[in-house]
Amino acid sequence: MNRVCCVLCVYVLSMFLFASCKTETEYEPSTVPEDEISDEYFHIDVVDVDAQSGLFVFTNCSDKRVSYGDRNLLEINIDGKWMSVISYNQRELAEPSYELLPHESIEYKTEWGPLEEGDYRYIIPLTPLSDEHTLGSVSYTHLTLPTILRV
């Protein structure tokens, strides 16, 4: 009987400690240079988006091949400043790289888990390519997510 009471006490205590753990999302300042965000090479359309995930269509708008990966960024606007959603931006990835040919489109799905209420933007780092080598440094395109993410 003592063993059952002891196990029950340990269970109740661990449930209490688990329930009291901090579950708020953590943020850090954005590292994306605002002057490098452009829609020159890439366009993003929303197919479906909610507080758990997003389904997009990526379109290469240029006459060059464009490379992008899964290291996309999710940011929230807090008091007029863009802040990175740490849990999404530091997730573990295999870091594959994809290419889109000129004027090609592809569907892209990502999951970000439950989001708190707020205004978000989704940023895709990309690199325009030539046949011989990479043309330049990484540039960024972004999409301010629709109000459906205001949960």
Side-chain angles (χ1 to χ4, degrees), residues 31-75:
T31 58
V32 177
E34 290 294 325
D35 59 340
E36 291 185 22
I37 296 178
S38 165
D39 293 332
E40 180 181 353
Y41 298 106
F42 219 66
H43 182 75
I44 309 166
D45 288 310
V46 175
V47 175
D48 186 34
V49 71
D50 59 30
Q52 299 289 328
S53 64
L55 178 61
F56 306 99
V57 173
F58 292 170
T59 302
N60 178 353
C61 303
S62 74
D63 292 327
K64 300 175 177 71
R65 290 180 302 128
V66 174
S67 172
Y68 67 96
D70 285 330
R71 272 281 167 223
N72 305 328
L73 306 170
L74 184 64
E75 296 184 341

Side-chain angles (χ1 to χ4, degrees), residues 78-121:
I78 299 175
D79 298 327
K81 295 184 182 189
W82 289 106
M83 304 293 284
S84 293
V85 179
I86 294 173
S87 59
Y88 181 80
N89 296 344
Q90 293 182 0
R91 66 201 185 286
E92 275 192 42
L93 296 170
E95 296 204 45
S97 180
Y98 309 104
E99 286 186 17
L100 276 180
L101 297 175
H103 309 288
E104 182 180 27
S105 295
I106 191 166
E107 277 194 351
Y108 184 88
K109 181 169 176 91
T110 189
E111 294 183 14
W112 36 61
L115 295 177
E116 297 174 3
E117 181 178 338
D119 294 316
Y120 291 83
R121 69 178 179 181

Side-chain angles (χ1 to χ4, degrees), residues 24-25 130:
E24 288 183 20
T25 305
S130 72

